[in-house]
Amino acid sequence: MSHEINSLVSTISSCEKIFKTPVPLSYSRHTSRFLTIWCGSLPFALVSQLGIHTLPVVIIACWCLFGIEEIGHLIEQPFVSVASKDMDQGNVPDPLYKGDLVQPYDIGLPVCTLAGRIRTEVLDIVSAFKKKDKNE
């Protein structure tokens, strides 16, 4: 049982490292700026070849590319950010809360809810294990 708890603690430690690793904001900004400039110049490049069909083609292409960019933002930050002091006090915030601590793209996995449930289950297991040791 002790080995399994140590393994769980090690896994939780690894997950916390992933959670606290920042995503470079400059990468995201550069990608957004480049995509905006590229999509802005796309109609000028296509108008001689497509004529009147340029606008629908550009709209569809831009919609697809900006959609992929949005998905990229969600993949970069799959976790919902919350204040660590709330988690330390045992409060599990609403994952869709849009306060000061939540970024525009933080609508990913409900990590805080899952962490609260895991914390409760681990405490229940440990307390049951301690009771079992006392009775023996």
Side-chain angles (χ1 to χ4, degrees):
M1 182 73 170
S2 175
H3 174 68
E4 291 175 4
I5 291 175
N6 288 336
S7 175
L8 178 64
V9 169
S10 174
T11 303
I12 290 172
S13 164
S14 298
C15 289
E16 285 179 359
K17 288 178 187 175
I18 293 171
F19 178 72
K20 293 180 180 180
T21 302
V23 176
L25 186 59
S26 60
Y27 170 78
S28 177
R29 286 182 181 166
H30 177 72
T31 304
S32 297
R33 289 175 185 154
F34 175 78
L35 187 60
T36 302
I37 291 170
W38 190 85
C39 287
S41 64
L42 184 60
F44 300 111
L46 296 179
V47 73
S48 64
Q49 296 173 351
L50 299 178
I52 196 164
H53 301 293
T54 301
L55 186 60
V57 169
V58 169
I59 289 172
I60 292 170
C62 290
W63 179 76
C64 291
L65 291 172
F66 281 111
I68 291 170
E69 182 192 20
E70 183 72 19
I71 291 169
H73 284 291
L74 291 173
I75 291 172
E76 285 175 358
Q77 294 183 333
F79 305 110
V80 179
S81 63
V82 296
S84 59
K85 65 179 179 178
D86 287 342
M87 284 301 292
D88 291 341
Q89 295 171 358
N91 299 333
V92 180
D94 180 13
L96 296 179
Y97 170 70
K98 295 293 183 194
D100 295 334
L101 300 171
V102 178
Q103 300 297 318
Y105 299 107
D106 286 345
I107 55 173
L109 301 172
V111 174
C112 295
T113 303
L114 296 173
R117 289 180 187 165
I118 291 171
R119 176 185 286 175
T120 303
E121 290 178 15
V122 168
L123 292 175
D124 290 345
I125 291 169
V126 169
S127 65
F129 186 69
K130 287 181 181 178
K131 287 180 185 177
K132 184 178 177 183
D133 283 346
K134 288 182 182 179
N135 291 337
E136 291 178 357

